[in-house]
Amino acid sequence: MAEGSVLVVGGTAGLGREVAAHYRGAGHPVIVTGRDADRASAVAAEIGDGVTGIGFDLSKPHTIAAALADVGPVSRLVLAAISRDNNPLREYKIDEAIELTTMKLVGYPETIHTLIDRLSDDSSVLLFGGRAKDRPYPGSTTVTTVNGGISSLINTLVTELAPIRFNAIHPGITGDSPFWAGKPLDHVVARTPTGRLVTMTDVVDATVFLLENPAMNGENLYVDGGWMLM
Ligand SMILES: NC(=O)c1ccc[n+]([C@@H]2O[C@H](COP(=O)([O-])OP(=O)(O)OC[C@H]3O[C@@H](n4cnc5c(N)ncnc54)[C@H](OP(=O)(O)O)[C@@H]3O)[C@@H](O)[C@H]2O)c1
């Protein structure tokens, strides 16, 4: 594996935190980020020794470069952060739409731009999209749009920044993730051919595959149990 840290943007919670814990367990130095530096440091300490925390807000992309100034070489970069924007078009809230759109479609590429000289030819990058891009739900306009954008964003990343590898992962509703845990999801199971919800373990496994397999590049991987087929 390339020299450097595994940096997980949005690593203080949910799927990003699970990915961070996996790489720490495998013995790699890990950095997790969230909006608040103190919270990020506290979560880093919970994950374990060798994990550090950084705070910056992806929806304020002009602040990203300064926040990452002290980061050294990066071997794996995971862009997992999200703030959920429930935004039905009949009550459209512009500020919330701008926040999430900026986070994923400007903040993610600005993070890559900032770190480009700290990535090496053997580094790889994974961007989180999501199946809401293909299966919308009421109020999902911004989520659907930005996750669709992620699936195209990897095309320019791959071609402009070769040989660094870039892939995107699009999980289905992940039943044991903090956002969904405890919510009624029988309707999702009913439409999933595997008859079960996607788990965080499933998503971490696919994340590691995309980050580590040297032939995986420019792919959008769907981790959804075949949800779109029913
Ligand atoms: N969970 C699912 O079922 C599911 C399904 C499909 C796709 N996904 C995708 O998977 C990724 C992870 O989802 P999740 O549900 O695991 O997330 P989550 O539990 O809601 O965690 C979100 C993370 O993003 C960070 N964050 C939020 N707003 C931020 C901002 N403005 N700037 C920087 N960081 C910010 C949070 O940190 P702080 O709170 O510490 O600031 C936290 O670390 C997302 O990209 C999502 O679209 C998830």
Side-chain angles (χ1 to χ4, degrees), residues 27 52 157 184 201:
T52 54
L157 296 171
T201 299

Side-chain angles (χ1 to χ4, degrees), residues 30-54:
V30 172
I31 302 169
V32 294
T33 86
R35 284 163 291 189
D36 180 76
D38 290 341
R39 172 173 147 78
S41 295
V43 171
E46 287 171 17
I47 297 172
D49 289 346
V51 185
T52 54
I54 295 176

Side-chain angles (χ1 to χ4, degrees), residues 137-218:
Y137 52 84
S140 77
T141 289
T142 319
V143 175
T144 295
T145 302
V146 297
N147 287 338
I150 291 295
S151 67
S152 301
L153 172 57
I154 59 170
N155 296 337
T156 58
L157 296 171
V158 166
T159 53
E160 289 192 26
L161 302 176
I164 300 169
R165 295 184 297 107
F166 296 87
N167 292 290
I169 188 166
H170 301 275
I173 287 174
T174 305
D176 60 348
S177 65
F179 182 76
W180 290 109
K183 292 183 175 146
L185 295 171
D186 288 351
H187 64 291
V188 179
V189 176
R191 290 187 75 174
T192 306
T194 52
R196 65 186 279 281
L197 294 167
V198 174
T199 68
M200 294 209 288
T201 299
D202 301 333
V203 177
V204 171
D205 182 68
T207 296
V208 173
F209 163 65
L210 289 170
L211 285 169
E212 303 307 328
N213 188 303
M216 297 307 297
N217 196 23

Side-chain angles (χ1 to χ4, degrees), residues 12 15 35 39 57-58 80 82 84 104 128-129 174 177 180:
T12 59
L15 293 164
R35 284 163 291 189
R39 172 173 147 78
D57 187 338
L58 277 170
I82 187 168
R84 286 186 171 78
K104 281 211 176 188
F128 270 76
T174 305
S177 65
W180 290 109

Side-chain angles (χ1 to χ4, degrees), residues 60-153:
K60 299 183 173 64
H62 292 97
T63 68
I64 293 173
L68 294 174
D70 293 335
V71 171
V74 173
S75 62
R76 302 286 180 259
L77 173 61
V78 178
L79 295 157
I82 187 168
S83 68
R84 286 186 171 78
D85 174 33
N86 183 354
N87 212 339
L89 283 162
R90 292 185 191 281
E91 298 106 43
Y92 195 59
K93 298 180 286 289
I94 293 172
D95 289 343
E96 294 179 21
I98 289 174
E99 181 181 344
L100 177 54
T101 305
T102 304
M103 275 184 68
K104 281 211 176 188
L105 299 188
V106 182
Y108 278 19
E110 169 59 11
T111 302
I112 294 163
H113 158 79
T114 296
L115 293 172
I116 194 66
D117 291 335
R118 285 166 265 180
L119 298 168
S120 63
D121 287 359
D122 294 331
S123 294
S124 65
V125 180
L126 184 71
L127 292 78
F128 270 76
R131 260 315 199 184
K133 81 182 182 68
D134 306 299
R135 181 159 276 171
Y137 52 84
S140 77
T141 289
T142 319
V143 175
T144 295
T145 302
V146 297
N147 287 338
I150 291 295
S151 67
S152 301
L153 172 57

